[in-house]
C-alpha cells in the first residue's frame, strides 16, 4: 500500500468549521423542534448586487450560441477585470499585471505556500484564519511561531518574537478578532520585514468593511511594502461571492527572493501549472461588481452587516468584554471560559451557533467569535434571545 503523506499527522483531527457544523447538526438531531440561529461561520447572506446577477444571466446565455461560446480564459485572469481591480481597489498604485485572478483567496493562500517550500519558518497572528497554519503544515512547514494578539497588546503582535521567521501572515481587518491595524502598525510591520528580510502575506479579504479613511485598506498603502509584501484579496465578503468564487493576489514586480530572483515570475509559473483560471463567467460578474452601480449596492450591503455588528455589540457589551465589529463583520467576545464549553453553552441555552476562539489558535481560548453576516430578522431574534 502507498504510505500517507506524513504532513497530515501534524493537523488537528478536523477543520474548525466542519466541527462547528457537526455539533450544530447533533444538537438539531437531539432537539428537532428547536430553531437554531447561526452567527458562526462567516458566510454572506445578502443577495448579490442586481447588476452582477444580470451580467451572469446575460453572459451565461451567450455560452449557448456558437458566436458567444468560449472555453478556457487567460491563465492569469481576464485583463479587463485585472485592470478594473487595479483602478478601483488600488487607484492604479498597483500595476494590473501584478494582479492574478483566482477562485478565491483561501485557495491562493494555500497555493502561495508552495512558492517557499517546507523549510521556511512562518510567523502568524494568534488567533488567525486557519489556512495560514494548516496550509503551511500540509506543505511540510515545521512548528509555526504564534504571535499572540490579545486585548493587552491591542491585538497587534510583538514582532520581535518573529525575528527569525521568513514569512509573516497578517490579516487586517482581522478574522477572528475584528481588529484593524493602523497605518503606524502596518508601517512597523513593513519596516520589520525589511529589516529581517522577510515576506509578508497580507490578507485584505475584509478591506471594504473599513469605514475610516485614515485606516489602511491595503498593505500597498504603506511605504516600502512593495519590496516585502504579497496581498491576497477576495470578492467573497465584499460582494457576496462566497459561492461564486473569485479572488486575486498581488505580487509586486519588486518582490525578490534572497537569491534576487523574482517571486512574481514563480507565482505566474505556479498558477499556470496548478490552476486553469477562475470561471470566465464569474469574472464577468466581478467586473460588474466593480462598476459604479455594483459598488453602490456593495456599500449598502456592507452597511447592513456593520449595523448587525453594532446591534450585536450593544446586546453583548453589558455582559461581556466585546472587541471588533466596527470596521469588521466579526465580534470577538471574552467569555472567560474554555471556548468549546462556551460554544456549547450558547448552543444549548440560546440555540445560537458561534465559533469557538480556540479553533483559531491558542490565544483564542476564552473567546467566542460572533459573525455579523446575517439577515436582520436572524440578528434581531438572536438579540432577543440573548
Ligand atoms: N481570508 C480570510 C481572513 C477569511 O476569513 C476568508 C474566508 O472566510 C478567506 C480569506 C477566504 O476567502 P475566499 O472565499 O475568497 O476563499
Amino acid at each position: 500500500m502507498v504510505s500517507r503523506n506524513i504532513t497530515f499527522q501534524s493537523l488537528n483531527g478536523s477543520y474548525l468549521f466542519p466541527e462547528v457544523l457537526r455539533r450544530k447538526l447533533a444538537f438539531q438531531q437531539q432537539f428537532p423542534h428547536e430553531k437554531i440561529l447561526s452567527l458562526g461561520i462567516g458566510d454572506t447572506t445578502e443577495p448579490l448586487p442586481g447588476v452582477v446577477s444580470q451580467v451572469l444571466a446575460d453572459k451565461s446565455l451567450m455560452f449557448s450560441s456558437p458566436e458567444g461560446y468560449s472555453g478556457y480564459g487567460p491563465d492569469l485572469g481576464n485583463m479587463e477585470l485585472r485592470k478594473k481591480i487595479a483602478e478601483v481597489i488600488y487607484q492604479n498604485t498597483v500595476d494590473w499585471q501584478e494582479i492574478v485572478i483566482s477562485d478565491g483567496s483561501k485557495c491562493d493562500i494555500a497555493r502561495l505556500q508552495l512558492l517557499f517550500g517546507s523549510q521556511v519558518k512562518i510567523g502568524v497572528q494568534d488567533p488567525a484564519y486557519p489556512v495560514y497554519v494548516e496550509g503551511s503544515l500540509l506543505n511540510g512547514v515545521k512548528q509555526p511561531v504564534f504571535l499572540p494578539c490579545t486585548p493587552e497588546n491591542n491585538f497587534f503582535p510583538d514582532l520581535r518574537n518573529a525575528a527569525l521567521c521568513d514569512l509573516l501572515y497578517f490579516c487586517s481587518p482581522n478574522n477572528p478578532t475584528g481588529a484593524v491595524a493602523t497605518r503606524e502598525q502596518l508601517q512597523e510591520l513593513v519596516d520589520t520585514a525589511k529589516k529581517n528580510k522577510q515576506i509578508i502575506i497580507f490578507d485584505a479579504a475584509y478591506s471594504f468593511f473599513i469605514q475610516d479613511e485614515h485606516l489602511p485598506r491595503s498593505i500597498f498603502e504603506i511605504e516600502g511594502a512593495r519590496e516585502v509584501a504579497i496581498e491576497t484579496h477576495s470578492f467573497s465578503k465584499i460582494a457576496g461571492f462566497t459561492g461564486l468564487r473569485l479572488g486575486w493576489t498581488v505580487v509586486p514586480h519588486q518582490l525578490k527572493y534572497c537569491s534576487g530572483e523574482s517571486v512574481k515570475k514563480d507565482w505566474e509559473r505556479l498558477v499556470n501549472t496548478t490552476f486553469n483560471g477562475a470561471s470566465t463567467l464569474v469574472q464577468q460578474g466581478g467586473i460588474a461588481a466593480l462598476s459604479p452601480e455594483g459598488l453602490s449596492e456593495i456599500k449598502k450591503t456592507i452597511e447592513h452587516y456593520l449595523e448587525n455588528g453594532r446591534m450585536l455589540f450593544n446586546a453583548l457589551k453589558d455582559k461581556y468584554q466585546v472587541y471588533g465589529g466596527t470596521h469588521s463583520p466579526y465580534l470577538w467576545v471574552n467569555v472567560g471560559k474554555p471556548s468549546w464549553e462556551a460554544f456549547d453553552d450558547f448552543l444549548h441555552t440560546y440555540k445560537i451557533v458561534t465559533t469557538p476562539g480556540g479553533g483559531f489558535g491558542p490565544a483564542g481560548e476564552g473567546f467566542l467569535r460572533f459573525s455579523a453576516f446575517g439577515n436582520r430578522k436572524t440578528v434581531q431574534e438572536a438579540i432577543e434571545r440573548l
Side-chain angles (χ1 to χ4, degrees):
M1 288 301 246
V2 179
S3 56
R4 183 187 190 210
N5 180 344
I6 54 161
T7 62
F8 281 94
Q9 287 170 9
S10 54
L11 298 185
N12 284 334
S14 66
Y15 188 65
L16 172 63
F17 295 110
E19 178 58 19
V20 167
L21 188 64
R22 195 191 64 72
R23 290 191 189 213
K24 175 182 164 186
L25 293 178
F27 178 84
Q28 192 75 85
Q29 222 167 21
Q30 203 182 347
F31 304 101
H33 301 299
E34 294 288 5
K35 181 178 171 198
I36 300 176
L37 301 175
S38 182
L39 301 177
I41 296 174
D43 197 358
T44 47
T45 54
E46 300 312 291
L48 285 174
V51 64
V52 173
S53 308
Q54 191 61 55
V55 163
L56 293 177
D58 294 348
K59 299 277 178 188
S60 72
L61 284 177
M62 282 173 58
F63 276 93
S64 62
S65 71
E67 308 77 42
Y69 177 78
S70 63
Y72 291 122
D75 303 354
L76 304 180
N78 177 312
M79 189 169 71
E80 190 185 344
L81 177 60
R82 295 168 79 193
K83 288 187 171 170
K84 197 92 193 146
I85 291 171
E87 178 201 326
V88 174
I89 310 283
Y90 298 107
Q91 293 75 47
N92 288 322
T93 57
V94 158
D95 176 1
W96 69 269
Q97 295 183 75
E98 296 172 319
I99 297 168
V100 173
I101 308 298
S102 71
D103 52 349
S105 64
K106 188 181 191 179
C107 326
D108 261 3
I109 293 162
R111 278 191 281 265
L112 278 168
Q113 292 163 342
L114 290 174
L115 288 176
F116 305 103
S118 60
Q119 297 309 310
V120 285
K121 288 196 187 61
I122 69 159
V124 292
Q125 285 167 296
D126 171 22
Y129 183 53
V131 69
Y132 312 146
V133 169
E134 298 204 335
S136 300
L137 292 175
L138 270 181
N139 194 27
V141 166
K142 300 290 173 294
Q143 192 53 36
V145 175
F146 287 106
L147 305 168
C149 295
T150 60
E152 290 71 38
N153 60 16
N154 278 324
F155 300 101
F156 187 79
D158 185 343
L159 296 171
R160 286 171 302 185
N161 298 332
L164 298 179
C165 293
D166 304 297
L167 295 181
L168 298 175
Y169 285 90
F170 202 94
C171 177
S172 176
N174 188 271
N175 176 10
T177 65
V180 189
T182 62
R183 201 166 286 281
E184 293 71 31
Q185 287 172 331
L186 289 191
Q187 191 66 63
E188 184 186 334
L189 178 69
V190 166
D191 292 346
T192 304
K194 262 188 155 169
K195 186 174 96 202
N196 297 334
K197 302 188 177 1
Q198 297 162 320
I199 290 181
I200 300 162
I201 298 183
F202 188 81
D203 185 339
Y206 297 94
S207 74
F208 273 41
F209 286 83
I210 296 178
Q211 301 298 299
D212 177 347
E213 61 185 33
H214 298 106
L215 291 169
R217 286 181 161 201
S218 162
I219 192 71
F220 298 119
E221 290 180 35
I222 307 300
E223 202 187 318
R226 293 180 58 81
E227 286 95 62
V228 292
I230 291 171
E231 178 163 298
T232 61
H233 213 313
S234 170
F235 282 82
S236 284
K237 307 301 165 89
I238 63 174
F241 277 51
T242 48
L244 291 175
R245 311 302 306 141
L246 192 64
W248 71 90
T249 288
V250 182
V251 183
H253 295 297
Q254 288 93 327
L255 190 68
K256 300 281 187 316
Y257 299 103
C258 57
S259 60
E261 286 159 294
S262 158
V263 177
K264 177 175 180 291
K265 203 166 152 220
D266 278 1
W267 175 235
E268 291 173 2
R269 181 74 170 81
L270 177 62
V271 171
N272 290 156
T273 307
T274 59
F275 182 54
N276 260 339
S279 153
T280 53
L281 179 63
V282 174
Q283 291 186 74
Q284 295 293 336
I287 295 169
L290 297 181
S291 66
E293 305 92 290
L295 288 168
S296 106
E297 288 194 53
I298 286 174
K299 192 162 177 275
K300 285 190 212 132
T301 306
I302 300 266
E303 275 162 13
H304 163 89
Y305 292 133
L306 287 171
E307 177 59 16
N308 284 349
R310 275 189 287 275
M311 290 164 60
L312 282 167
F313 190 98
N314 289 333
L316 290 161
K317 72 174 187 336
D318 292 337
K319 261 199 204 161
Y320 305 99
Q321 190 68 52
V322 187
Y323 304 92
T326 313
H327 300 288
S328 148
Y330 297 120
L331 288 90
W332 190 235
V333 181
N334 187 342
V335 283
K337 59 167 78 169
S339 53
W340 276 114
E341 192 183 318
F343 170 90
D344 286 333
D345 282 354
F346 271 80
L347 182 57
H348 286 261
T349 313
Y350 305 112
K351 285 70 181 173
I352 291 176
V353 175
T354 56
T355 309
F360 296 99
E365 260 315 328
F367 287 83
L368 285 179
R369 188 193 75 174
F370 281 70
S371 161
F373 290 114
N375 57 51
R376 189 55 46 80
K377 219 168 133 245
T378 305
V379 171
Q380 267 160 350
E381 205 174 329
I383 287 171
E384 278 159 28
R385 291 186 192 179
L386 288 166

